Amino acid sequence: MTGIALMGAGRMGQVHAAAIVEAGARLAAIYDPVTAAAEGLAARTGARVASTAAEAMGDAAADAIVIATSSDTHVDLVLEAVKTGKPVLCEKPLASSYAAARKCVAAIGETAARRVFLGFNRRYDHGHASVRQAVHGGAVGRLEQLIITSRDPFPPPLDYVPRSGGLFRDMMIHDFDMARAITRQDFVSVTAHGSSIIDPEIGRLGDIDTAAVTLVAADGTIVTIHNSRRCAFGFDQRLEAFGSTGMVISDNPRQSGFQRFTNENPGTQAPILEFFMERYGPSYAAEIRLFLDCAREGRDMPVNAIDGLMAAYLAEAATASRKQGKTIELTGPDQEFANV
Amino acid sequence: MTGIALMGAGRMGQVHAAAIVEAGARLAAIYDPVTAAAEGLAARTGARVASTAAEAMGDAAADAIVIATSSDTHVDLVLEAVKTGKPVLCEKPLASSYAAARKCVAAIGETAARRVFLGFNRRYDHGHASVRQAVHGGAVGRLEQLIITSRDPFPPPLDYVPRSGGLFRDMMIHDFDMARAITRQDFVSVTAHGSSIIDPEIGRLGDIDTAAVTLVAADGTIVTIHNSRRCAFGFDQRLEAFGSTGMVISDNPRQSGFQRFTNENPGTQAPILEFFMERYGPSYAAEIRLFLDCAREGRDMPVNAIDGLMAAYLAEAATASRKQGKTIELTGPDQEFANV
Amino acid sequence: MTGIALMGAGRMGQVHAAAIVEAGARLAAIYDPVTAAAEGLAARTGARVASTAAEAMGDAAADAIVIATSSDTHVDLVLEAVKTGKPVLCEKPLASSYAAARKCVAAIGETAARRVFLGFNRRYDHGHASVRQAVHGGAVGRLEQLIITSRDPFPPPLDYVPRSGGLFRDMMIHDFDMARAITRQDFVSVTAHGSSIIDPEIGRLGDIDTAAVTLVAADGTIVTIHNSRRCAFGFDQRLEAFGSTGMVISDNPRQSGFQRFTNENPGTQAPILEFFMERYGPSYAAEIRLFLDCAREGRDMPVNAIDGLMAAYLAEAATASRKQGKTIELTGPDQEFANV
Amino acid sequence: MTGIALMGAGRMGQVHAAAIVEAGARLAAIYDPVTAAAEGLAARTGARVASTAAEAMGDAAADAIVIATSSDTHVDLVLEAVKTGKPVLCEKPLASSYAAARKCVAAIGETAARRVFLGFNRRYDHGHASVRQAVHGGAVGRLEQLIITSRDPFPPPLDYVPRSGGLFRDMMIHDFDMARAITRQDFVSVTAHGSSIIDPEIGRLGDIDTAAVTLVAADGTIVTIHNSRRCAFGFDQRLEAFGSTGMVISDNPRQSGFQRFTNENPGTQAPILEFFMERYGPSYAAEIRLFLDCAREGRDMPVNAIDGLMAAYLAEAATASRKQGKTIELTGPDQEFANV
């Protein structure tokens, strides 16, 4: 049974802890700067509490490392974890800025970066994964248009906005990764538009709450991403992949097959799933299972720190595009856009 | 261009007149006991007004005859029409009672009966016809269960109830024909249940407003028919055919692809089509086109007076089943159930 | 934390064990005639293995009892469990025959019977429960028609058929309970039809594989139940409740919101959930939570041995109806139908 | 009965002729440079054939004028028609270029321009009109995002491409009008991206076959338009309007409510409507009825030549944006973007 050293016993730490147990692995050691949190989780799982991250990572019973602490600690912990030579899963984002992500990858080198699993959990959502597999399997022929919709049920607290890095880095990061995962293309340009029409206060803090981004791939495929920080009817998470021989869609799943027909509402359906744990809960379990499989086999991680860097690069470029009011030509992280 | 003699210039007469013109045929002569009605329709279509049914039917420009008068006149007009040797379409029902339908078929003989097209228009509804074709084409393998739902938006006027012949003869007649059309089986038993829970007054008049009928076919296929005289959300007309390799459904089409998502109603759809001219309007046009094709080719009619007789037979048996509170074994019109 | 004594460590025992842990209760003691099964489950949950059912039930750490052994042992274990005075949950069916169920309820008395929770888990399915709540809350006005569809993906092994009690007792038992739960009515008649068209061998063994049953309630509400032992597209489990002001439906939920549009298949959807653990898995967890709540509060069980008896009564009457080829008038278990 | 002078007896002329008769008006006079076409249509409708457009327009029995000739003749015929003082309906587009549209409006003046009904028929599509009315009625609160999808079943003949004016003027013109109709906003910028990935030959001819355009409105509303010249599964015409309190959608209507469930395809639906006469046929009839109402009441036309000019303006700006590879700031036709 694979033993795991878990960094972080907060909300995401607990999500991963449950997924680890469900996947048949066990928690060997837990570290959290808030000792009480670590102890609480340890009591429920039989793990031991380590007093430093390094101690937890070095635990002899820990065969792999999962990092689920706050975003600003990811880079340091990844650097520490890589030193152990053990397989590592790091929650998204890799770093709280693109510059930090570049430094991190540069520091550990590309080979090690490909051994760090990056937690873009939406890739494992049942519907979204079906779209990706269908596209890669040729179900739509040659892919021509990809439309990604991500809308949160409600905006984050206002005091979070200034330290979020902005909508493109904080929220659309998932969609940039999804665009890469489905198209398997390099993008040649990004054009971003945004408004703060949900809450003007968000605008005064320099951010936006509504956005549309267009990515053009090297082969002409056009990707459009729609984001909104607030959605009245739940957690709106959809994909549409259109190609030469058809289209595949990942629509919002519903809580049940309940429907109601009345004179006024001839066909009301059950609510869509409400927020990320309801919609994406099963995707965390699938993610851990994939990580454990790769760890056991000593493989490169299929989704790794390089993917984290690339998503951060697109987020950075989108931020620049909106600020400069123009299309940004993309040349890759090495010859990156100037003056962002 | 085929010329038509039309009996009846009332609501159904006008429906058929429009379908005739749309199908590229023309109205040659019209007869209606209410002369003004005939004249009004003639003015809009260029037909001549005949003073008797026989005169209209005998018009030299009339190549075929359509009977769309009130139900109680159908038998007499069919007898008259058959004498001309011209192709005849008679609106459903063939007769206002099973006894009268038997007499009619006996009088004209089976060969002539097969030349009288009977207007079971629902067979030509796009969705229902797709189910029938799918079943006959093997799309569900061996058919095992057929479920027919027919619910009207609102009950008929109370004064119509006593002369309607009862729900089974007046309303379920369509569904009996549909059961025959889809299964292409003889039925060995019918069991009918009914209630008057929509309007107790209907019960006091000796009729029911809610019914469920089970037909068992010779090969074991089970057909269930659900009828209701009132449906809050429109004209509920559905089929479900279940078999060894799958299921096909004809669901209610909607007025458009409009949907609305709010916090309270996350997925309201457009209303279903409201009543028979909205839902079944196109089926009358398809019916006339089929009749004209058969007439031109001098073929037997694919749906004819024998089908009208058989549907009346099932309606009669269902009426008996409910009154006697027991399953009626069916032996066919020739050795029919006793004491209905 | 509530401690549970669990009878049975087979498939259903394991389902309940997982639900018990998930609900925050703990397994105190396990009994299974197959000791290895009990030991395996105990190792994973920290429960102790008892050498007799009575010993497990009497365990001081066991506050409540869950019976999940094979059907033929239910009555004896319920009698044993009731003696302890602890709250009891018994998997459905209460007994393997109606006669046995009557004897069981007679032996423990009605008051105790109402303290035995009966595991009709489908009542807690999200979609089905939404229909029940909608109907009881008046969402369809006065209920007039209820249509229940239950189709298994594939028939049971042929050697199971003779000891199953027949389709009505083995499979439709769930639907009889659902009919009672939604209508909250006494039924005045049952009429059953059945065929063995999926596998003639089932017919030779005296059973059927395809069935339609009509129940008429005292107030005129008509319930129709459709069962099939084989369904090509999965586990077809639906409800339709039609009333004076509208209709509510519990349709089959799907594995995801995936859809595919091609020229040949313009709108293929994701598969429906495949079998009972996929579809009804969450309902077992909800059932255990409800049982634990009732146990803690010392309440009568909302679904109890009386409900188990009534469902068995309807199954018995349906079996009689089909064998005798006639409608059975229902007078209740006390003045039961003769000569079944 | 309103009499109509119809310019053009080709495909669109015949569509309008049928709509005119169905709406209870009559064809008084027809002009078509191809006399045989005019005569054929006249024979079926009782209209007289005029030898010049002016003669037809001046016919004493003609109360209103409908222009349905080829696009390059629209401006001249509008100028001619306006002289008669009779109400005019002109098929879209108003002119074959933005410059010509400006000249036309300048020549007749704004007041007269508002009396020329412009045939943006999609506004009257049942589903699309429902979205517009819902948005205007407040059903989604404050509109924040509008997504318009228009995909044709197959590309036009290659020889049409060079004279089409390009995808933005020829195809997306409808969507620009729809964006204006639903948002009722002025736009401050347009950004267009396009590829020729369906047929590289289209690219060699200087055009594109796949496009995404983003319009930003003065109030921050973001509109995205997706166009494709080829769609494997039919005529893909959808709207999604997202706002502060919900979302409304106009999805593709289907040919019927037919569905098929098999092991491989558990939920195939009926095809979507195939091309514009099937999908938008009823919208032409609704358009003529609205035109006739406005004509009778002597009102300004709710959709008129100014709307035609504005749609042409957006198409021109989008063409410029794609060619220049940058966002175009919009200031209105009077201070228009330079160097397009």
Side-chain angles (χ1 to χ4, degrees), chain A residues 194-203 207-211 228 230, chain D residues 142-145 217-222 242-244:
Chain A
S195 306
S196 58
I197 47 183
I198 291 167
D199 185 348
E201 200 57 43
I202 290 174
D207 202 3
I208 54 175
D209 48 36
T210 300
S228 176
R230 188 250 298 108
Chain D
R142 186 212 182 295
L143 181 67
E144 293 163 1
Q145 296 181 317
D219 73 343
T221 305
I222 300 175
F242 177 85
S244 57

PDB file of all heavy atoms in Angstrom, chain A residues 194-203 207-211 228 230, chain D residues 142-145 217-222 242-244:
ATOM      1  N   GLY A 194     -12.430  42.094 -21.039  1.00  0.00           N
ATOM      2  CA  GLY A 194     -13.022  41.893 -19.719  1.00  0.00           C
ATOM      3  C   GLY A 194     -13.791  43.117 -19.268  1.00  0.00           C
ATOM      4  O   GLY A 194     -13.543  44.230 -19.734  1.00  0.00           O
ATOM      5  N   SER A 195     -14.738  42.889 -18.382  1.00  0.00           N
ATOM      6  CA  SER A 195     -15.548  43.972 -17.822  1.00  0.00           C
ATOM      7  C   SER A 195     -15.731  43.695 -16.337  1.00  0.00           C
ATOM      8  O   SER A 195     -15.620  42.555 -15.892  1.00  0.00           O
ATOM      9  CB  SER A 195     -16.951  43.991 -18.463  1.00  0.00           C
ATOM     10  OG  SER A 195     -16.883  44.049 -19.863  1.00  0.00           O
ATOM     11  N   SER A 196     -16.013  44.743 -15.588  1.00  0.00           N
ATOM     12  CA  SER A 196     -16.430  44.515 -14.197  1.00  0.00           C
ATOM     13  C   SER A 196     -17.867  45.004 -14.088  1.00  0.00           C
ATOM     14  O   SER A 196     -18.131  46.115 -13.676  1.00  0.00           O
ATOM     15  CB  SER A 196     -15.501  45.232 -13.213  1.00  0.00           C
ATOM     16  OG  SER A 196     -15.475  46.612 -13.486  1.00  0.00           O
ATOM     17  N   ILE A 197     -18.779  44.148 -14.508  1.00  0.00           N
ATOM     18  CA  ILE A 197     -20.194  44.538 -14.514  1.00  0.00           C
ATOM     19  C   ILE A 197     -20.980  43.826 -13.441  1.00  0.00           C
ATOM     20  O   ILE A 197     -22.111  44.170 -13.161  1.00  0.00           O
ATOM     21  CB  ILE A 197     -20.840  44.318 -15.900  1.00  0.00           C
ATOM     22  CG1 ILE A 197     -20.499  42.950 -16.463  1.00  0.00           C
ATOM     23  CG2 ILE A 197     -20.391  45.395 -16.850  1.00  0.00           C
ATOM     24  CD1 ILE A 197     -21.054  42.736 -17.866  1.00  0.00           C
ATOM     25  N   ILE A 198     -20.395  42.830 -12.827  1.00  0.00           N
ATOM     26  CA  ILE A 198     -21.104  42.156 -11.736  1.00  0.00           C
ATOM     27  C   ILE A 198     -20.985  43.019 -10.477  1.00  0.00           C
ATOM     28  O   ILE A 198     -21.965  43.274  -9.795  1.00  0.00           O
ATOM     29  CB  ILE A 198     -20.491  40.760 -11.498  1.00  0.00           C
ATOM     30  CG1 ILE A 198     -20.823  39.869 -12.695  1.00  0.00           C
ATOM     31  CG2 ILE A 198     -21.002  40.152 -10.205  1.00  0.00           C
ATOM     32  CD1 ILE A 198     -20.030  38.588 -12.742  1.00  0.00           C
ATOM     33  N   ASP A 199     -19.768  43.458 -10.209  1.00  0.00           N
ATOM     34  CA  ASP A 199     -19.546  44.296  -9.036  1.00  0.00           C
ATOM     35  C   ASP A 199     -18.515  45.361  -9.399  1.00  0.00           C
ATOM     36  O   ASP A 199     -17.327  45.056  -9.541  1.00  0.00           O
ATOM     37  CB  ASP A 199     -19.035  43.436  -7.867  1.00  0.00           C
ATOM     38  CG  ASP A 199     -18.910  44.250  -6.590  1.00  0.00           C
ATOM     39  OD1 ASP A 199     -18.999  45.503  -6.651  1.00  0.00           O
ATOM     40  OD2 ASP A 199     -18.712  43.644  -5.526  1.00  0.00           O
ATOM     41  N   PRO A 200     -18.940  46.618  -9.522  1.00  0.00           N
ATOM     42  CA  PRO A 200     -18.006  47.687  -9.921  1.00  0.00           C
ATOM     43  C   PRO A 200     -16.830  47.804  -8.960  1.00  0.00           C
ATOM     44  O   PRO A 200     -15.745  48.258  -9.335  1.00  0.00           O
ATOM     45  CB  PRO A 200     -18.863  48.963  -9.866  1.00  0.00           C
ATOM     46  CG  PRO A 200     -20.285  48.513  -9.857  1.00  0.00           C
ATOM     47  CD  PRO A 200     -20.308  47.118  -9.290  1.00  0.00           C
ATOM     48  N   GLU A 201     -17.023  47.351  -7.731  1.00  0.00           N
ATOM     49  CA  GLU A 201     -15.941  47.389  -6.737  1.00  0.00           C
ATOM     50  C   GLU A 201     -14.750  46.547  -7.211  1.00  0.00           C
ATOM     51  O   GLU A 201     -13.592  46.895  -6.967  1.00  0.00           O
ATOM     52  CB  GLU A 201     -16.484  46.863  -5.403  1.00  0.00           C
ATOM     53  CG  GLU A 201     -15.673  47.270  -4.194  1.00  0.00           C
ATOM     54  CD  GLU A 201     -15.526  48.777  -4.072  1.00  0.00           C
ATOM     55  OE1 GLU A 201     -16.547  49.495  -4.290  1.00  0.00           O
ATOM     56  OE2 GLU A 201     -14.419  49.219  -3.801  1.00  0.00           O
ATOM     57  N   ILE A 202     -15.056  45.435  -7.881  1.00  0.00           N
ATOM     58  CA  ILE A 202     -13.992  44.594  -8.437  1.00  0.00           C
ATOM     59  C   ILE A 202     -13.186  45.385  -9.459  1.00  0.00           C
ATOM     60  O   ILE A 202     -11.960  45.295  -9.507  1.00  0.00           O
ATOM     61  CB  ILE A 202     -14.605  43.309  -9.053  1.00  0.00           C
ATOM     62  CG1 ILE A 202     -15.136  42.389  -7.928  1.00  0.00           C
ATOM     63  CG2 ILE A 202     -13.593  42.569  -9.910  1.00  0.00           C
ATOM     64  CD1 ILE A 202     -15.880  41.159  -8.401  1.00  0.00           C
ATOM     65  N   GLY A 203     -13.899  46.202 -10.249  1.00  0.00           N
ATOM     66  CA  GLY A 203     -13.222  47.066 -11.215  1.00  0.00           C
ATOM     67  C   GLY A 203     -12.328  48.087 -10.518  1.00  0.00           C
ATOM     68  O   GLY A 203     -11.190  48.338 -10.929  1.00  0.00           O
ATOM     69  N   ASP A 207      -9.486  44.686 -11.109  1.00  0.00           N
ATOM     70  CA  ASP A 207      -9.755  43.382 -11.717  1.00  0.00           C
ATOM     71  C   ASP A 207     -11.062  43.429 -12.518  1.00  0.00           C
ATOM     72  O   ASP A 207     -11.733  44.457 -12.585  1.00  0.00           O
ATOM     73  CB  ASP A 207      -9.824  42.300 -10.624  1.00  0.00           C
ATOM     74  CG  ASP A 207      -9.556  40.880 -11.186  1.00  0.00           C
ATOM     75  OD1 ASP A 207      -9.274  40.762 -12.383  1.00  0.00           O
ATOM     76  OD2 ASP A 207      -9.636  39.925 -10.401  1.00  0.00           O
ATOM     77  N   ILE A 208     -11.382  42.319 -13.140  1.00  0.00           N
ATOM     78  CA  ILE A 208     -12.607  42.162 -13.918  1.00  0.00           C
ATOM     79  C   ILE A 208     -13.390  40.975 -13.362  1.00  0.00           C
ATOM     80  O   ILE A 208     -12.853  40.163 -12.603  1.00  0.00           O
ATOM     81  CB  ILE A 208     -12.285  41.910 -15.414  1.00  0.00           C
ATOM     82  CG1 ILE A 208     -11.316  40.716 -15.531  1.00  0.00           C
ATOM     83  CG2 ILE A 208     -11.709  43.154 -16.052  1.00  0.00           C
ATOM     84  CD1 ILE A 208     -11.010  40.300 -16.945  1.00  0.00           C
ATOM     85  N   ASP A 209     -14.666  40.883 -13.727  1.00  0.00           N
ATOM     86  CA  ASP A 209     -15.477  39.757 -13.255  1.00  0.00           C
ATOM     87  C   ASP A 209     -16.141  39.008 -14.402  1.00  0.00           C
ATOM     88  O   ASP A 209     -16.804  37.988 -14.197  1.00  0.00           O
ATOM     89  CB  ASP A 209     -16.516  40.235 -12.237  1.00  0.00           C
ATOM     90  CG  ASP A 209     -17.285  41.454 -12.711  1.00  0.00           C
ATOM     91  OD1 ASP A 209     -17.553  41.532 -13.932  1.00  0.00           O
ATOM     92  OD2 ASP A 209     -17.627  42.312 -11.883  1.00  0.00           O
ATOM     93  N   THR A 210     -15.977  39.519 -15.601  1.00  0.00           N
ATOM     94  CA  THR A 210     -16.594  38.936 -16.798  1.00  0.00           C
ATOM     95  C   THR A 210     -15.543  39.006 -17.896  1.00  0.00           C
ATOM     96  O   THR A 210     -14.958  40.067 -18.093  1.00  0.00           O
ATOM     97  CB  THR A 210     -17.837  39.761 -17.198  1.00  0.00           C
ATOM     98  OG1 THR A 210     -18.765  39.725 -16.108  1.00  0.00           O
ATOM     99  CG2 THR A 210     -18.490  39.228 -18.460  1.00  0.00           C
ATOM    100  N   ALA A 211     -15.298  37.889 -18.572  1.00  0.00           N
ATOM    101  CA  ALA A 211     -14.203  37.913 -19.541  1.00  0.00           C
ATOM    102  C   ALA A 211     -14.468  36.987 -20.718  1.00  0.00           C
ATOM    103  O   ALA A 211     -15.176  35.984 -20.593  1.00  0.00           O
ATOM    104  CB  ALA A 211     -12.899  37.495 -18.868  1.00  0.00           C
ATOM    105  N   SER A 228     -17.226  33.977 -15.963  1.00  0.00           N
ATOM    106  CA  SER A 228     -17.995  34.928 -15.160  1.00  0.00           C
ATOM    107  C   SER A 228     -17.814  34.556 -13.706  1.00  0.00           C
ATOM    108  O   SER A 228     -17.771  33.378 -13.364  1.00  0.00           O
ATOM    109  CB  SER A 228     -19.481  34.884 -15.543  1.00  0.00           C
ATOM    110  OG  SER A 228     -20.206  35.739 -14.689  1.00  0.00           O
ATOM    111  N   ARG A 230     -19.940  35.156 -11.434  1.00  0.00           N
ATOM    112  CA  ARG A 230     -21.210  34.904 -10.744  1.00  0.00           C
ATOM    113  C   ARG A 230     -22.208  34.296 -11.706  1.00  0.00           C
ATOM    114  O   ARG A 230     -22.339  34.773 -12.830  1.00  0.00           O
ATOM    115  CB  ARG A 230     -21.789  36.206 -10.168  1.00  0.00           C
ATOM    116  CG  ARG A 230     -22.986  35.972  -9.277  1.00  0.00           C
ATOM    117  CD  ARG A 230     -24.258  36.470  -9.923  1.00  0.00           C
ATOM    118  NE  ARG A 230     -24.267  37.873 -10.173  1.00  0.00           N
ATOM    119  CZ  ARG A 230     -24.161  38.402 -11.390  1.00  0.00           C
ATOM    120  NH1 ARG A 230     -24.005  37.633 -12.458  1.00  0.00           N
ATOM    121  NH2 ARG A 230     -24.234  39.706 -11.551  1.00  0.00           N
TER     122      ARG A 230
ATOM    123  N   ARG D 142     -29.559  41.933 -15.637  1.00  0.00           N
ATOM    124  CA  ARG D 142     -28.697  42.746 -16.491  1.00  0.00           C
ATOM    125  C   ARG D 142     -27.904  41.810 -17.395  1.00  0.00           C
ATOM    126  O   ARG D 142     -27.217  40.905 -16.927  1.00  0.00           O
ATOM    127  CB  ARG D 142     -27.740  43.507 -15.572  1.00  0.00           C
ATOM    128  CG  ARG D 142     -26.878  44.511 -16.292  1.00  0.00           C
ATOM    129  CD  ARG D 142     -25.527  44.609 -15.588  1.00  0.00           C
ATOM    130  NE  ARG D 142     -24.677  45.605 -16.226  1.00  0.00           N
ATOM    131  CZ  ARG D 142     -24.228  45.488 -17.480  1.00  0.00           C
ATOM    132  NH1 ARG D 142     -24.564  44.462 -18.223  1.00  0.00           N
ATOM    133  NH2 ARG D 142     -23.439  46.429 -17.971  1.00  0.00           N
ATOM    134  N   LEU D 143     -28.000  42.013 -18.716  1.00  0.00           N
ATOM    135  CA  LEU D 143     -27.287  41.151 -19.670  1.00  0.00           C
ATOM    136  C   LEU D 143     -25.777  41.377 -19.553  1.00  0.00           C
ATOM    137  O   LEU D 143     -25.320  42.525 -19.531  1.00  0.00           O
ATOM    138  CB  LEU D 143     -27.755  41.475 -21.095  1.00  0.00           C
ATOM    139  CG  LEU D 143     -27.130  40.639 -22.221  1.00  0.00           C
ATOM    140  CD1 LEU D 143     -27.563  39.184 -22.120  1.00  0.00           C
ATOM    141  CD2 LEU D 143     -27.497  41.210 -23.583  1.00  0.00           C
ATOM    142  N   GLU D 144     -25.007  40.294 -19.489  1.00  0.00           N
ATOM    143  CA  GLU D 144     -23.553  40.426 -19.342  1.00  0.00           C
ATOM    144  C   GLU D 144     -22.771  39.777 -20.484  1.00  0.00           C
ATOM    145  O   GLU D 144     -21.740  40.284 -20.905  1.00  0.00           O
ATOM    146  CB  GLU D 144     -23.119  39.792 -18.007  1.00  0.00           C
ATOM    147  CG  GLU D 144     -23.647  40.559 -16.809  1.00  0.00           C
ATOM    148  CD  GLU D 144     -23.606  39.782 -15.505  1.00  0.00           C
ATOM    149  OE1 GLU D 144     -23.149  38.619 -15.505  1.00  0.00           O
ATOM    150  OE2 GLU D 144     -24.041  40.327 -14.479  1.00  0.00           O
ATOM    151  N   GLN D 145     -23.260  38.644 -20.954  1.00  0.00           N
ATOM    152  CA  GLN D 145     -22.587  37.936 -22.049  1.00  0.00           C
ATOM    153  C   GLN D 145     -23.643  37.438 -23.039  1.00  0.00           C
ATOM    154  O   GLN D 145     -24.678  36.918 -22.630  1.00  0.00           O
ATOM    155  CB  GLN D 145     -21.792  36.734 -21.513  1.00  0.00           C
ATOM    156  CG  GLN D 145     -20.637  37.117 -20.592  1.00  0.00           C
ATOM    157  CD  GLN D 145     -19.846  35.906 -20.105  1.00  0.00           C
ATOM    158  OE1 GLN D 145     -20.424  34.886 -19.743  1.00  0.00           O
ATOM    159  NE2 GLN D 145     -18.538  36.026 -20.064  1.00  0.00           N
ATOM    160  N   ALA D 217     -19.736  46.105 -25.723  1.00  0.00           N
ATOM    161  CA  ALA D 217     -20.722  47.178 -25.733  1.00  0.00           C
ATOM    162  C   ALA D 217     -20.299  48.289 -24.777  1.00  0.00           C
ATOM    163  O   ALA D 217     -19.441  48.095 -23.899  1.00  0.00           O
ATOM    164  CB  ALA D 217     -22.091  46.638 -25.343  1.00  0.00           C
ATOM    165  N   ALA D 218     -20.901  49.457 -24.971  1.00  0.00           N
ATOM    166  CA  ALA D 218     -20.570  50.626 -24.158  1.00  0.00           C
ATOM    167  C   ALA D 218     -20.699  50.334 -22.670  1.00  0.00           C
ATOM    168  O   ALA D 218     -19.937  50.836 -21.850  1.00  0.00           O
ATOM    169  CB  ALA D 218     -21.481  51.789 -24.558  1.00  0.00           C
ATOM    170  N   ASP D 219     -21.636  49.494 -22.304  1.00  0.00           N
ATOM    171  CA  ASP D 219     -21.868  49.219 -20.878  1.00  0.00           C
ATOM    172  C   ASP D 219     -21.067  48.014 -20.380  1.00  0.00           C
ATOM    173  O   ASP D 219     -21.284  47.561 -19.261  1.00  0.00           O
ATOM    174  CB  ASP D 219     -23.360  49.003 -20.631  1.00  0.00           C
ATOM    175  CG  ASP D 219     -23.834  47.658 -21.162  1.00  0.00           C
ATOM    176  OD1 ASP D 219     -23.111  47.057 -21.983  1.00  0.00           O
ATOM    177  OD2 ASP D 219     -24.913  47.209 -20.758  1.00  0.00           O
ATOM    178  N   GLY D 220     -20.179  47.467 -21.202  1.00  0.00           N
ATOM    179  CA  GLY D 220     -19.340  46.358 -20.748  1.00  0.00           C
ATOM    180  C   GLY D 220     -19.847  44.980 -21.146  1.00  0.00           C
ATOM    181  O   GLY D 220     -19.147  43.980 -20.965  1.00  0.00           O
ATOM    182  N   THR D 221     -21.055  44.887 -21.680  1.00  0.00           N
ATOM    183  CA  THR D 221     -21.561  43.595 -22.158  1.00  0.00           C
ATOM    184  C   THR D 221     -20.626  43.062 -23.250  1.00  0.00           C
ATOM    185  O   THR D 221     -20.199  43.810 -24.112  1.00  0.00           O
ATOM    186  CB  THR D 221     -22.981  43.757 -22.740  1.00  0.00           C
ATOM    187  OG1 THR D 221     -23.811  44.359 -21.755  1.00  0.00           O
ATOM    188  CG2 THR D 221     -23.554  42.412 -23.154  1.00  0.00           C
ATOM    189  N   ILE D 222     -20.334  41.778 -23.165  1.00  0.00           N
ATOM    190  CA  ILE D 222     -19.431  41.160 -24.142  1.00  0.00           C
ATOM    191  C   ILE D 222     -20.221  40.187 -25.027  1.00  0.00           C
ATOM    192  O   ILE D 222     -20.895  39.300 -24.528  1.00  0.00           O
ATOM    193  CB  ILE D 222     -18.292  40.406 -23.423  1.00  0.00           C
ATOM    194  CG1 ILE D 222     -17.486  41.380 -22.550  1.00  0.00           C
ATOM    195  CG2 ILE D 222     -17.386  39.705 -24.431  1.00  0.00           C
ATOM    196  CD1 ILE D 222     -16.408  40.713 -21.708  1.00  0.00           C
ATOM    197  N   PHE D 242     -26.590  35.517 -21.185  1.00  0.00           N
ATOM    198  CA  PHE D 242     -26.282  35.287 -19.768  1.00  0.00           C
ATOM    199  C   PHE D 242     -26.308  36.621 -19.037  1.00  0.00           C
ATOM    200  O   PHE D 242     -25.717  37.597 -19.503  1.00  0.00           O
ATOM    201  CB  PHE D 242     -24.891  34.646 -19.672  1.00  0.00           C
ATOM    202  CG  PHE D 242     -24.428  34.430 -18.262  1.00  0.00           C
ATOM    203  CD1 PHE D 242     -24.795  33.282 -17.576  1.00  0.00           C
ATOM    204  CD2 PHE D 242     -23.644  35.379 -17.609  1.00  0.00           C
ATOM    205  CE1 PHE D 242     -24.371  33.069 -16.265  1.00  0.00           C
ATOM    206  CE2 PHE D 242     -23.215  35.178 -16.305  1.00  0.00           C
ATOM    207  CZ  PHE D 242     -23.582  34.027 -15.626  1.00  0.00           C
ATOM    208  N   GLY D 243     -26.987  36.647 -17.899  1.00  0.00           N
ATOM    209  CA  GLY D 243     -27.067  37.904 -17.156  1.00  0.00           C
ATOM    210  C   GLY D 243     -27.042  37.700 -15.659  1.00  0.00           C
ATOM    211  O   GLY D 243     -26.776  36.591 -15.161  1.00  0.00           O
ATOM    212  N   SER D 244     -27.323  38.762 -14.947  1.00  0.00           N
ATOM    213  CA  SER D 244     -27.129  38.763 -13.496  1.00  0.00           C
ATOM    214  C   SER D 244     -28.070  37.815 -12.767  1.00  0.00           C
ATOM    215  O   SER D 244     -27.747  37.353 -11.674  1.00  0.00           O
ATOM    216  CB  SER D 244     -27.312  40.176 -12.957  1.00  0.00           C
ATOM    217  OG  SER D 244     -28.586  40.673 -13.309  1.00  0.00           O
TER     218      SER D 244
END
